[in-house]
Amino acid sequence: MDLAVQLAQDGMDGDKGGPFGAVVVRAGEVISAAYNRVTGSDDPTAHAEVRALRMAAEMLGTFDLSDCEIYASSEPCPMCFGAIYWSRVQRVYFANTREDAARIGFDDSFIYDELAKEPLERSIPFIKVDSPDALKVFDRWQQKADKIEY
């Protein structure tokens, strides 16, 4: 956790992004470590946890990080929460809470509220478009004999 917190400090001090750091560990060994680079890279997805997961997957050569844990300087936001579940890490450790983050201007409660709304009622409307071709792609995936499940 100390490394995740130090990374948060380093990224913030270097004007790379918000005060967040994350470390992926496997069997007690650090696999990857990252700080937030949203403003430093102009990438809204460059959160510390997402970056650390991407680096770990590349380093290990797999998208399945089920034998890893992640240490985050703050409770992961909804995007990072989703990425953590998709990566299948076995455990998440965090220091600051989402309430601590909200107190300094990183309030994600509106996203949690938005998820509960119907798609067209969200502040950014999500509009369903019928596409038979899109369903055909899903059907082909379902029938694909050599697909890699994830």
Side-chain angles (χ1 to χ4, degrees), residues 12-106:
M12 183 184 67
D13 288 347
D15 295 325
K16 302 296 183 186
F20 305 99
V23 179
V24 175
V25 174
R26 182 174 75 169
E29 179 185 345
V30 172
I31 302 301
S32 64
Y35 51 75
N36 180 291
R37 285 200 32 89
V38 169
T39 58
S41 65
D42 293 325
D43 178 355
T45 68
H47 290 201
E49 297 91 337
V50 170
R51 292 185 65 233
L53 291 169
R54 287 175 179 164
M55 286 188 265
E58 186 173 350
M59 173 79 82
L60 297 173
T62 181
F63 57 83
D64 182 353
L65 302 179
S66 58
D67 58 350
C68 297
E69 301 173 326
I70 190 167
Y71 290 78
S73 64
S74 185
E75 187 174 356
C77 75
M79 178 183 67
C80 295
F81 182 92
I84 286 165
Y85 271 88
W86 279 114
S87 73
R88 298 185 180 103
V89 297
Q90 60 182 253
R91 197 166 286 109
V92 178
Y93 299 96
F94 64 94
N96 295 321
T97 65
R98 71 170 98 164
E99 292 80 15
D100 295 328
R103 184 178 50 77
I104 63 163
F106 294 93

